[in-house]
Amino acid sequence: MQNWPQRIKQSGRPRYLAIVDCIAQDMKDRVLLPGDQLPPQRQLADIIGANFTTVSRGYTEAIKRGLIASHVGRGTFVLPQKSISSSDERRALANDLTMNAPPEPTDPELLERMRAGLSAVSDDLVHLLRYQDPIGGSVDKEAASIWLSMRGLVPNLDRVAVTPGAHATMLAILSVLARPGDCILCEEITYSGFKKICAQLGLKLVGLPMDAYGVLPDALDAAIQTHSPRALYLNPTLHNPTTMIVPQNRRLEIADVMKRHRLPLIEDDAYGFVLPDAPPPMAASAPDLTWYIGGLAKCIGAGLRLAYSVAPNARAGFALENGIRAASVMSSPVSMALATRWVLDGTADQIRRFIRKETEIRQNIAAEIVTEAEFVANPHAFNIWLRLPQGVTCASLMANMSNHEIGIAPESAFHTSASKDQFVRICLGGRIPRETLPQTLSHLNNQIWQLSH
């Protein structure tokens, strides 16, 4: 490792990635052999002249790629080289910056626990490669029920479905409730994915006026009478993209309007499990009208492609099952088995707590660095909702940030009507490491200043 300092300096890559490159290259050149022990993180930090956090991030990334394994009390060891492939590395580096992703786990003990769960699930791999119940077996639904209870929901299992992610669930629900040409109500600024689904199905999407507390109940009442909608879609907790939280009194007012008109609600509670002390979901106030979607993408991991969903009643649950069967055949048995294990052994809750803590740290970084524009955010949101100063366009900002790993989305992606793109969503999570976030946000802040002057 004597030449690592020079190699890292010359690589031009972020230092934590340069550490991973050194490990991978030395394994390829057989300088590092399977079973070799790497130096402790603090010792390596001294060797290469880096701080402990950078080395920790590098080791964590190498663990993700299957290069090394860390064992508490024993140390960090090189894994057999057969676990490395160029396709694995390309897959590890793939990143969709358009998605509002949670920070990725970096704690070695948590990652080891996650891997242990995956290893245990693989013992039954042949069975998991068979066709399964489209919406989960009894053990999967029981795990879902345990998870849902953290949001105060205790539905009968005949209303619970383990579905293949929030998008597929929305698609299935809308196929049950509506036909092409029908009207669906939502917030005037709404989740862009729901907009795309409605467009795909040929549904008319009508956005409702909002204030700082969510859609206006009077406007909802008027829209129901005017448009005869088939359903209302809401994302009331850590609303994407504005990070707004609809307070309990407004939720009850909306529920009263729904009950009066018997209007079904599709409640997207993607962030409800991330927020501490979140208001009860709307499904608790109007269970017989609400199709609840508790996606796992934001509180555990998007790659699972799973959601814990609740239908308004058993008959609706059967209809949801048929919708999932028609659109997706079934949820992935491998993902279901892993999620079930993680929920039952507490790993899922540990991941959720890590995401919650890490998100708060990142929001504090953003609040300290981004000073050239006003923005709204929540300590546990994965993004900030930034108002562009006069003279700054979304296109110019995105162009000037194109070489930086940060997701920027225009207001028009979320608005149900014409938008002047006065706001942008800036994502703080995903693959972007905490160590490089200050530098990235500083560049963003400087670009905003330059474009506005």
Side-chain angles (χ1 to χ4, degrees), residues 129-192:
L129 294 178
R130 301 169 187 157
Y131 286 108
Q132 310 277 324
D133 189 302
I135 55 173
S138 58
V139 65
D140 302 306
K141 290 186 177 183
E142 288 166 4
S145 182
I146 292 171
W147 190 255
L148 291 167
S149 68
M150 293 193 293
R151 293 289 284 124
L153 298 176
V154 286
N156 294 332
L157 291 187
D158 57 6
R159 295 172 54 208
V160 175
V162 185
T163 54
H167 272 222
T169 311
M170 293 173 192
L171 186 68
I173 293 170
L174 288 171
S175 70
V176 172
L177 296 178
R179 295 292 178 266
D182 285 344
C183 173
I184 304 294
L185 302 179
C186 66
E187 306 103 332
E188 63 181 353
I189 298 175
T190 193
Y191 172 47
S192 58

Side-chain angles (χ1 to χ4, degrees), residues 100 103 238-239 241-243 271 274-275 359-360 362-363 377-384 428:
N100 197 27
L238 287 180
H239 175 261
T242 68
T243 76
Y271 303 90
V274 176
L275 186 69
T359 298
E360 191 169 1
R362 292 175 182 232
Q363 286 288 350
N378 181 282
H380 296 95
F382 304 158
N383 68 285
I384 61 176
L428 307 178

